[in-house]
Amino acid sequence: MARVGVFVCHCGLNIASTVDIEKVVAYARGLPDVVVAEHNLYSCSEEGLSSIRKSIEKNKLDRVVVAACTPRTHEPLFRKTCELAGVNKYLFEFVNIREHCAWIHIKEPLSATDKAEKLIAMGVAKARLLEPQKETESSVIPTAVVIGGGLTGLTAAASLAAQGIDTHLIEREEKLGGVLGDVEVISPEFSKSGDLIGQLVKELKGSRHAKVHLGAKVVAVSGFIGNFEVTVEGKGKQEKIPAGAIILATGAQEFMPKGEYGFKEMPEVVTQLELERRLASGNVPRRAVFIQCVGSRQPGREYCSRICCNASLKNALRIVRTRPDSRVSIIHRDIMSYGTASERLYREASDRGVVFLRYGLERIPKVVRKKDGVVVEVYDETIDEMVDLDTDLVVLATPMVSREDARDLGKLLKVPLDKYGFFLEAHVKLRPVEFATDGVFIAGSARWPSSVTECMGQGLAAAAKASIPIRRGKVVVEAITASADPDRCAACGNCVIACPYEAIEIVEEHGKRYAKVNETKCKGCGTCVAACPNDAMQQRGFTSQQLSSMIDALIKSTEEET
Amino acid sequence: MPKKVVVIGGGIAGIQASLDLADMGFEVHLVERTPSIGGRMAQLDKTFPTNDCSMCILSPKMIMCAGHENVKLHTYSEVEEVRGQFPNLKVRIREKARYVNIAKCTGCGDCIAKCPVKVPDEFEQKLSNRKAIYLPFPQAVPRKVTIDGEVCRMIKTGKCGVCKKVCQAGAIEYDQKDEVVEIDASAIVVATGFDIMDASLLPQYGFGSCKDVVVSLQFERLLSASGPTGGHLTRPSDGRTPKKLAFVQCVGSRDERMHKYCSSVCCMYATKESILAREHVADIDTTIFYMDMRAVGKGFQEFVQRAEKLYGVRYVRSRPASVQPGKDGKGVLVTYETKGLAGEQVTEQFDLLVLCPALLPSRGSKALADRLGLKLDEDGFLVAKDIRHPVDSTRKGVLVCGFACAPMDIPDSVAQASGVAARVAEILQGGG
Ligand SMILES: Cc1cc2nc3c(=O)[nH]c(=O)nc-3n(C[C@H](O)[C@H](O)[C@H](O)COP(=O)(O)OP(=O)(O)OC[C@H]3O[C@@H](n4cnc5c(N)ncnc54)[C@H](O)[C@@H]3O)c2cc1C
Ligand SMILES: Cc1cc2nc3c(=O)[nH]c(=O)nc-3n(C[C@H](O)[C@H](O)[C@H](O)COP(=O)(O)OP(=O)(O)OC[C@H]3O[C@@H](n4cnc5c(N)ncnc54)[C@H](O)[C@@H]3O)c2cc1C
């Protein structure tokens, strides 16, 4: 018989202010096989964990149920505590009574408490049937692949190579540098982008650990952390690169206006990148008007692209610094010069006479053709008046948008994107350069528009993360995998089709054909279990028997009430 | 023998750098000057833009860091001196006397209950008191008490000794002395974060003179379920629930006379705090006085829109001229100019006012930079070596990350911290 311990967490007041903890604990004590039920102010604090550990040891528990918050952040911690107390970590069951009870039913404490009891009853029922699992290890190919040879990818690849890790950098264009190829100087220091990119390229070329593939496209990716295979196609050749980790740094591109503000009709109206190219060739306008947020911060594309205000400030300064006779205005909605250095540029621009006018979405500026040039008509919110700005050039600051094929790449790598097509990291706050898929990392403007220093910081971060499994040389393989009972399996192949990881094949052993799961490839998603018509496919830790026992427990607890 | 790295500052940046370095196989010595790691993030209620509970996502990281086989914590400690050159740095760490044997202390709290001395609680931003023997917050790591030698009666006058009497574990040691340890480190990471400006330096905003003016970090504590009011939003003057709330942005930042730079996170945390206030008090009206709404991160614009449309937050582009106490010293009267040239001065009454003061390089960071030989910029933040090396300091072998480099939010601090780990690995591999 199992010896189950139930530990209910107050989470300070997060749970305790809604759920009646005492009542829940008393209820848990009456559940089958429960030897002990306790509660903690913060189960995840050092004190909470050590009291759970002591209780496991004292009461000789062999199944542990914690009713607290979410497994997404806390399961590893409690599993580790079980291990420290000598209980296999797969004999741990997590019940979420914070998100699922206290928070969502914050206004109905009685029902929240009742639901907490039911969830715990279900958790205990399942825990009784849990089985210990063994984790296996698999080896890691000591090579990294970086996709995208812009600033971010270059930084990541240079770091990995400098760490002594063999690295392949895949760039689909014929040259490295990405967007910076068209940006001559970089704010806030007005450094030359050519020098920066040049130095990175030199470091890579000089390293025996780095190999650059130009004009190369990623056409297929298979495998899993430690054992990927990246197929690259270019110049009529195909190459398969085995890799332990992959970094995605495919960047973003400038949004092309769709005829807003006379773009395409009037030669005086250009985008920021076009201005960059002109300034680089020494073509400095005398009069210029920048219009910010063209195509962003409006319905359909709500986001702020983070770098455009700073790019406009930089280019406005390049104009006024070189031409004392110049007249430059920036028409904006908010100036996003966050931090220290950019705010200094904003200040310098104001001091040097750059005019800042603020517009709102209700009255957007107009660009009108006049005999000798163009006029920007703008309603300035601050002074509550219409202002006409004669100018030689109108610069549209448009947002960075995702690359057209970002979604295709996402599919190849099985990683998600947000609604705008930027790649979606594992956790917005604490895992900014990781994907939920192990072994695949994200950095730079493919994740979100970012400045040069930010892109480089993220490139380095991804290089750090990618290096960790490679340094260790091995990874732990998920133990919660599926397997088919050969006696029940009819070899119908439904699971083979359903599996998104190509982990299942039909094999013939001892004259019997059945579905066999490759455990290193299996991610434990459970899709095959649902697809199996014969109940032959079972997922460890989620067997039909375990799940039925949960439903039975729920029915039982509901019947007891009536 | 693994190479050693000293990380200075145990906020989220220092914790992340330590974890990555430890995972890479380095021996990490994390030096934190307060009794617990966690930094500012430990004080926050929720975090923008997802409103994840801050402590809930931080706590596992703190515990993993402390439990990592390659990490050694030096809390209540400071780096006194660094001698030598990369990669042979000698780092002298002073572990201040806690007057508690941390090997014996179980963190049970019996001593705290009995201690007769009360002083303002820094963690609670002085909204409540703590004892002379204390645990900074319930989830503190390590969970060991500390005696504040500055205020403890026994240490100061030799008369008391209550904590020693009640301590079953025999952990109290009044004669404990500072200890100095020296680490032969190959590299150093500086992640010393920020402090919040003393808002009373700008008397026109009423901090210190009006009871119902608080600063943002205090407001985080007022919102927090584990804070001084148990998560009930009340105002200091009379403990009543505020129905009209206002925030003032850029208090002492973007200001020629104080700090010229933008603190980067205030627009977003004021928006967050407004949303949370509404979740505490269903009929609260909130106004945010601001200059530019700098919502530049992932999901930030949507977050501001949600505040405006779903939570009825009123954004007013104006910098208030003065703040006066309200009737009977309760609430405040805020005088500000409305938009446009035709704008006029209006005075509006609020129940509670939250100031968002400039966020400064942490106290003592100038002295630390001098000790380590690092350059600071004109605003007092750590300067990077050059554009190719954004997380290297001006001294070889010393890396920098987090708010100590420039104002930045949690994800940016975390990314930079991981980046530092990569650079440490590079330079110790023999790279430049
Ligand atoms: C006009 C403008 C001015 C700017 N000015 C400044 C400034 O002054 N200061 C500052 O700090 N920042 C500035 N920035 C921002 C900064 O330049 C960028 O954020 C940064 O260069 C982005 O680098 P990245 O490597 O992430 O992306 P990118 O530069 O976009 O590089 C991505 C690379 O990946 C390649 N790629 C894409 N898809 C694939 C694929 N499927 N397979 C293989 N390769 C692929 C692309 O060809 C490209 O080379 C500016 C940006 C713009 C647009
Ligand atoms: C009111 C408020 C709300 C916020 N809300 C959010 C939010 O919702 N989301 C978000 O992303 N960001 C938010 N932030 C910003 C967030 O707090 C910072 O991004 C983050 O704390 C930076 O982490 P850090 O580790 O760099 O610095 P810190 O958190 O400041 O940590 C630095 C650590 O170093 C220690 N230290 C300092 N000097 C020394 C020394 N000499 N020796 C040893 N140790 C030292 C300190 O004690 C501290 O523990 C908010 C900030 C404020 C003020």
Side-chain angles (χ1 to χ4, degrees):
Chain A
M1 252 189 9
R3 294 179 64 81
V4 184
V6 180
F7 302 91
V8 184
C9 184
H10 292 237
C11 194
L13 285 177
N14 276 309
I15 297 173
S17 64
T18 310
V19 172
D20 183 342
I21 303 281
E22 300 278 348
K23 182 162 182 283
V24 169
V25 170
Y27 174 83
R29 281 202 189 101
L31 292 168
D33 289 351
V34 170
V35 180
V36 56
E38 294 170 359
H39 53 108
N40 284 300
L41 186 57
Y42 291 100
S43 300
C44 65
S45 67
E46 271 194 17
E47 189 192 27
L49 293 173
S50 84
S51 99
I52 292 176
R53 186 174 161 183
K54 280 185 198 135
S55 182
I56 296 175
E57 286 163 357
K58 190 175 119 212
N59 299 300
K60 301 197 170 49
L61 302 179
D62 57 15
R63 299 288 190 285
V64 178
V65 177
V66 170
C69 54
T70 158
R72 279 191 60 189
T73 51
H74 283 62
E75 190 169 67
L77 208 59
F78 293 118
R79 280 182 162 183
K80 184 159 178 212
T81 305
C82 290
E83 275 185 325
L84 289 172
V87 173
N88 181 283
K89 70 184 196 187
Y90 292 94
L91 298 176
F92 165 74
E93 183 65 18
F94 211 150
V95 179
N96 186 344
I97 60 166
R98 191 182 67 184
E99 278 83 344
H100 296 177
C101 302
W103 283 357
I104 192 79
H105 307 299
I106 195 160
K107 302 246 146 60
E108 301 133 294
L110 291 180
S111 320
T113 303
D114 177 52
K115 184 171 169 187
E117 290 178 353
K118 294 198 160 83
L119 292 179
I120 291 171
M122 293 165 76
V124 168
K126 182 177 169 202
R128 296 168 69 203
L129 300 176
L130 285 175
E131 286 158 359
Q133 307 292 348
K134 234 178 81 197
E135 286 176 341
T136 49
E137 282 176 344
S138 82
S139 62
V140 175
I141 298 164
T143 302
V145 165
V146 178
I147 309 175
L151 175 69
T152 308
L154 283 167
T155 309
S159 174
L160 286 162
Q163 293 178 51
I165 293 169
D166 289 342
T167 304
H168 293 262
L169 178 63
I170 320 287
E171 167 58 54
R172 67 172 170 203
E173 304 291 330
E174 286 302 331
K175 86 185 203 316
L176 296 166
V179 165
L180 278 186
D182 283 327
V183 176
E184 187 198 15
V185 298
I186 305 169
S187 64
E189 310 286 353
F190 294 80
S191 3
K192 295 270 183 210
S193 71
D195 295 347
L196 177 61
I197 298 296
Q199 187 175 344
L200 282 160
V201 172
K202 201 173 106 201
E203 287 173 30
L204 280 179
K205 296 241 160 99
S207 167
R208 64 191 164 88
H209 294 292
K211 177 153 192 245
V212 178
H213 304 249
L214 289 178
K217 243 177 76 183
V218 174
V219 292
V221 180
S222 64
F224 49 93
I225 181 169
N227 289 281
F228 291 107
E229 187 179 77
V230 181
T231 309
V232 175
E233 212 174 71
K235 313 207 170 89
K237 277 194 314 207
Q238 240 199 25
E239 189 180 344
K240 289 188 191 310
I241 306 171
I246 301 173
I247 295 175
L248 217 134
T250 46
Q253 60 194 20
E254 184 182 54
F255 171 70
M256 276 297 144
K258 308 246 151 52
E260 293 101 318
Y261 301 105
F263 182 72
K264 280 189 177 143
E265 285 152 42
M266 301 184 215
E268 294 90 344
V269 182
V270 300
T271 66
Q272 188 85 258
L273 263 183
E274 174 56 25
L275 173 67
E276 295 275 2
R277 286 187 279 265
R278 290 187 187 191
L279 291 177
S281 63
N283 181 354
V284 183
R286 187 175 75 80
R287 299 178 302 176
V289 175
F290 292 81
I291 305 178
Q292 300 303 120
C293 301
V294 176
S296 61
R297 296 183 67 195
Q298 49 188 262
R301 199 178 294 105
E302 278 80 9
Y303 67 89
C304 156
S305 163
R306 190 176 178 110
I307 57 162
C308 339
C309 281
N310 290 335
S312 292
L313 287 172
K314 170 187 72 176
N315 288 334
L317 277 171
R318 286 166 84 188
I319 298 172
V320 298
R321 281 183 190 175
T322 41
R323 288 190 70 155
D325 63 337
S326 60
R327 269 190 26 219
V328 178
S329 312
I330 297 182
I331 309 178
H332 66 99
R333 290 170 59 197
D334 291 277
I335 288 288
M336 305 294 193
S337 52
Y338 61 97
T340 49
S342 311
E343 185 70 8
R344 257 173 247 146
L345 297 187
Y346 184 18
R347 195 175 298 273
E348 186 192 333
S350 312
D351 291 348
R352 284 181 184 264
V354 174
V355 176
F356 290 87
L357 301 170
R358 198 184 287 275
Y359 77 98
L361 267 191
E362 329 57 69
R363 284 170 87 168
I364 62 168
K366 271 205 197 90
V367 179
V368 184
R369 156 118 284 142
K370 287 278 164 71
K371 251 206 312 291
D372 50 347
V374 286
V375 178
V376 181
E377 298 175 356
V378 50
Y379 164 73
D380 180 15
E381 272 192 3
T382 316
I383 56 171
D384 190 18
E385 254 178 46
M386 287 303 296
V387 180
D388 283 357
L389 301 166
D390 293 306
T391 188
D392 305 322
L393 198 68
V394 178
V395 183
L396 305 183
T398 60
M400 300 300 286
V401 293
S402 74
R403 296 195 179 271
E404 290 104 2
D405 61 344
R407 286 200 191 274
D408 301 336
L409 196 60
K411 278 202 195 103
L412 281 184
L413 284 148
K414 302 194 182 70
V415 293
L417 296 90
D418 69 11
K419 68 172 172 177
Y420 303 117
F422 291 106
F423 287 96
L424 190 60
E425 59 273 43
H427 190 277
V428 192
K429 299 266 80 170
L430 293 183
R431 295 174 69 192
V433 301
E434 293 163 74
F435 279 116
T437 309
D438 292 335
V440 190
F441 305 94
I442 172 73
S445 56
R447 171 184 162 265
W448 194 247
S450 303
S451 73
V452 161
T453 17
E454 291 163 349
C455 283
M456 293 180 78
Q458 292 166 28
L460 286 170
K465 296 286 183 195
S467 81
I468 291 172
I470 292 175
R471 278 163 192 281
R472 288 200 176 142
K474 56 188 183 207
V475 287
V476 174
V477 178
E478 177 65 59
I480 298 300
T481 51
S483 68
D485 176 352
D487 293 334
R488 289 192 154 207
C489 178
C492 69
N494 280 359
C495 55
V496 178
I497 299 165
C499 176
Y501 301 98
E502 291 163 30
I504 311 176
E505 54 183 345
I506 304 290
V507 297
E508 188 165 336
E509 270 172 25
H510 316 297
K512 169 123 186 71
R513 278 165 57 76
Y514 74 103
K516 188 166 180 170
V517 179
N518 176 339
E519 285 176 10
T520 43
K521 283 188 172 182
C522 175
K523 289 275 140 196
C525 69
T527 313
C528 56
V529 180
C532 178
N534 298 328
D535 215 18
M537 193 61 91
Q538 294 289 337
Q539 166 114 324
R540 296 189 176 86
F542 295 88
T543 62
S544 306
Q545 204 198 357
Q546 288 162 351
L547 299 182
S548 309
S549 77
M550 294 173 81
I551 297 167
D552 290 344
L554 176 63
I555 293 169
K556 183 150 173 276
S557 80
T558 313
E559 280 169 358
E560 278 166 6
E561 279 163 24
T562 50
Chain B
M1 271 263 289
K3 291 183 176 156
K4 295 178 189 162
V5 182
V6 171
V7 177
I8 311 175
I12 186 63
I15 291 174
Q16 186 62 52
S18 300
L19 280 171
D20 287 330
L21 286 164
D23 279 347
M24 287 175 161
F26 294 106
E27 179 179 318
V28 178
H29 291 261
L30 175 54
V31 183
E32 163 59 47
R33 74 172 164 205
T34 68
S36 170
I37 57 170
R40 294 292 170 196
M41 200 178 157
Q43 290 175 298
L44 307 181
D45 178 32
K46 307 258 156 72
T47 56
F48 63 74
T50 45
N51 284 358
D52 272 315
C53 155
S54 189
M55 193 42 111
C56 304
I57 57 176
L58 176 65
S59 182
K61 285 236 174 201
M62 290 162 65
I63 290 168
M64 271 178 217
C65 189
H68 201 295
E69 55 183 7
N70 294 341
V71 179
K72 164 105 180 63
L73 292 188
H74 303 261
T75 48
Y76 212 47
S77 302
E78 286 193 54
V79 168
E80 257 186 1
E81 191 190 45
V82 177
R83 285 175 291 125
Q85 296 294 327
F86 169 80
N88 298 305
L89 300 157
K90 290 202 179 305
V91 183
R92 203 163 75 205
I93 301 169
R94 176 171 295 269
E95 300 185 330
K96 290 174 280 186
R98 301 174 107 105
Y99 308 105
V100 172
N101 182 330
I102 61 170
K104 290 187 182 164
C105 173
T106 63
C108 70
D110 288 349
C111 53
I112 301 173
K114 292 284 151 48
C115 173
V117 181
K118 280 186 189 164
V119 287
D121 187 337
E122 303 84 358
F123 184 82
E124 296 299 352
Q125 290 289 297
K126 306 197 172 159
L127 289 169
S128 61
N129 290 329
R130 65 160 167 83
K131 298 295 186 64
I133 189 164
Y134 69 109
L135 197 64
F137 50 99
Q139 306 89 332
V141 172
R143 198 186 147 85
K144 308 287 176 187
V145 298
T146 302
I147 293 180
D148 180 346
E150 303 279 299
V151 297
C152 167
R153 261 184 221 164
M154 189 65 191
I155 308 283
K156 299 215 60 129
T157 67
K159 293 194 195 94
C160 183
V162 170
C163 52
K164 187 167 182 138
K165 268 182 224 131
V166 299
C167 179
Q168 304 275 317
I172 309 294
E173 298 175 352
Y174 297 119
D175 55 356
Q176 201 178 68
K177 298 269 175 306
D178 290 3
E179 265 180 47
V180 174
V181 291
E182 195 162 275
I183 310 288
D184 289 315
S186 302
I188 298 172
V189 176
V190 183
T192 45
F194 70 96
D195 274 312
I196 187 163
M197 189 192 86
D198 174 5
S200 65
L201 293 173
L202 290 169
Q204 67 268 36
Y205 292 117
F207 185 72
S209 59
C210 304
K211 278 195 176 145
D212 290 329
V213 176
V214 297
V215 295
S216 53
L217 215 44
Q218 291 182 316
F219 196 66
E220 293 277 345
R221 298 313 302 153
L222 288 175
L223 292 170
S224 171
S226 59
T229 53
H232 298 287
L233 182 53
T234 56
R235 64 177 185 184
S237 65
D238 56 5
R240 297 246 300 257
T241 303
K243 298 284 176 188
K244 238 186 130 196
L245 174 68
F247 289 82
V248 182
Q249 301 281 274
C250 304
V251 172
S253 50
R254 301 186 68 193
D255 180 339
E256 291 282 351
R257 295 153 306 165
M258 301 297 289
H259 303 281
K260 292 182 180 168
Y261 61 88
C262 156
S263 296
S264 285
V265 293
C266 323
C267 286
M268 290 309 296
Y269 75 59
T271 298
K272 167 192 76 176
E273 291 178 4
S274 306
I275 291 177
L276 296 175
R278 182 70 169 253
E279 283 174 357
H280 282 66
V281 182
D283 55 347
I284 201 165
D285 275 331
T286 305
T287 302
I288 298 182
F289 293 103
Y290 74 107
M291 305 213 292
D292 291 277
M293 187 41 56
R294 294 186 168 164
V296 299
K298 207 168 194 168
F300 289 11
Q301 285 292 329
E302 292 85 338
F303 193 63
V304 171
Q305 283 187 13
R306 215 166 83 213
E308 205 168 0
K309 302 212 174 96
L310 246 64
Y311 292 83
V313 177
R314 180 172 66 130
Y315 287 89
V316 176
R317 195 189 300 278
S318 183
R319 198 169 198 164
S322 79
V323 175
Q324 302 291 330
K327 210 161 144 251
D328 306 326
K330 288 172 190 157
V332 292
L333 295 167
V334 177
T335 305
Y336 65 97
E337 232 167 64
T338 57
K339 177 161 100 173
L341 263 193
E344 43 181 334
Q345 281 226 332
V346 294
T347 298
E348 197 173 333
Q349 140 93 37
F350 294 95
D351 297 339
L352 180 63
L353 183 70
V354 183
L355 304 179
C356 302
L359 305 179
L360 319 176
S362 65
R363 172 178 51 82
S365 55
K366 171 85 175 68
L368 183 70
D370 289 346
R371 241 173 288 149
L372 268 65
L374 311 181
K375 256 204 224 133
L376 300 176
D377 66 15
E378 58 187 84
D379 299 312
F381 293 96
L382 291 160
V383 173
K385 182 179 164 207
D386 55 40
I387 187 167
R388 166 69 187 94
H389 302 100
V391 299
D392 289 34
S393 75
T394 45
R395 175 174 181 179
K396 179 121 204 228
V398 181
L399 295 304
V400 293
C401 61
F403 214 113
C405 304
M408 64 179 81
D409 64 8
I410 294 163
D412 287 357
S413 302
V414 169
Q416 236 191 8
S418 293
V420 155
R423 271 301 287 161
V424 170
E426 283 179 45
I427 59 175
L428 295 185
Q429 182 76 22

